[in-house]
Amino acid sequence: LACSCLRPRHPTLAAGMAARSLAGVALIGLAIGVLSVEQDASSKLQAFEVEFAHFKKEAALERQRLADTSAKTKAALLERIQKLEAAEHRRLDASQGTSIASNTAGWTANAEAIANLQSATNHTWLLLCGALVMFMQAGFAMVESGCCRAKNVQNILMKNLVDVCIGTMCWWAVGWTLAYGIADEPNNAFAGDKQFFGMGFTE
């Protein structure tokens, strides 16, 4: 700055001195800016450290509170269990002399009873569906009778009766076989090949 106050006679020398002066001013400004950024970053870091310490303290208090609550709850549950065990009317009747380990035979009997009930339910459902199919034939007879002249009603009723008879015979011959005539062992057959014409049905 002191050199800039001088007035050199040569213009090139004056320009160089002015450039040096501007560079010095720029360096001084840059240094001031770096110092302000460092101070700002330092203040933010200190604030973050204070906030982190506060959060850490709160977390420790919350953990301690949860531990105390858990301990109190556990103690209350244990006390409740002891009271229930001490109550006479809450005790199991030991006069029968039975236990879970000795009830295996009962479990087996229950499993067999459930299997028998499942089989009976399946057969009952099949019979119900068959009865509904027969009633469906009666419904077809009513519909077709209402869609033709009176002189053709008897022919329509006879046709539906013949449908029922032929359908029953076809089901007895091959229908059951295709639907349910599959061997007991697991397989991926599309249709069955057992019990044609009811052979071996009761075996």
Side-chain angles (χ1 to χ4, degrees):
L1 292 176
C3 294
S4 63
C5 297
L6 300 176
R7 296 179 180 273
R9 297 179 180 179
H10 200 280
T12 305
L13 182 59
M17 295 176 64
R20 290 180 181 179
S21 300
L22 291 176
V25 173
L27 289 175
I28 294 173
L30 181 61
I32 294 173
V34 170
L35 290 176
S36 63
V37 170
E38 288 182 354
Q39 291 178 357
D40 189 14
S42 177
S43 61
K44 289 183 178 180
L45 181 61
Q46 291 178 358
F48 178 75
E49 290 177 353
V50 172
E51 184 178 359
F52 179 74
H54 181 68
F55 174 77
K56 187 175 181 181
K57 183 179 179 180
E58 289 184 351
L61 293 175
E62 183 67 19
R63 185 168 60 252
Q64 183 64 30
R65 187 183 64 83
L66 291 176
D68 296 340
T69 304
S70 177
K72 291 180 181 178
T73 304
K74 185 176 180 180
L77 290 176
L78 291 176
E79 183 180 359
R80 178 64 176 170
I81 291 173
Q82 291 176 359
K83 288 182 179 180
L84 291 175
E85 289 179 349
E88 293 293 336
H89 65 279
R90 298 287 298 184
R91 292 184 179 180
L92 297 176
D93 187 8
S95 61
Q96 297 179 358
T98 60
S99 63
I100 298 176
S102 62
N103 200 25
T104 307
W107 291 349
T108 304
N110 291 336
E112 293 177 354
I114 292 174
N116 294 331
L117 178 61
Q118 183 178 5
S119 178
T121 305
N122 291 337
H123 288 83
T124 303
W125 175 249
L126 290 176
L127 292 174
L128 177 61
C129 291
L132 291 177
V133 170
M134 296 303 173
F135 279 113
M136 187 174 64
Q137 287 292 334
F140 283 140
M142 298 296 103
V143 171
E144 294 174 4
S145 299
C147 294
C148 66
R149 297 175 65 180
K151 67 185 184 66
N152 298 324
V153 172
Q154 292 183 356
N155 295 331
I156 293 296
L157 295 177
M158 179 59 68
K159 180 188 76 66
N160 281 275
L161 181 60
V162 172
D163 287 344
V164 172
C165 295
I166 295 177
T168 303
M169 297 300 295
C170 292
W171 175 260
W172 169 73
V174 296
W176 174 269
T177 299
L178 296 177
Y180 303 105
I182 301 176
D184 293 335
E185 62 271 7
N187 54 53
N188 296 321
F190 177 75
D193 57 354
K194 309 292 183 182
Q195 300 176 354
F196 281 103
F197 297 96
M199 293 185 298
F201 180 77
T202 58
E203 294 179 0

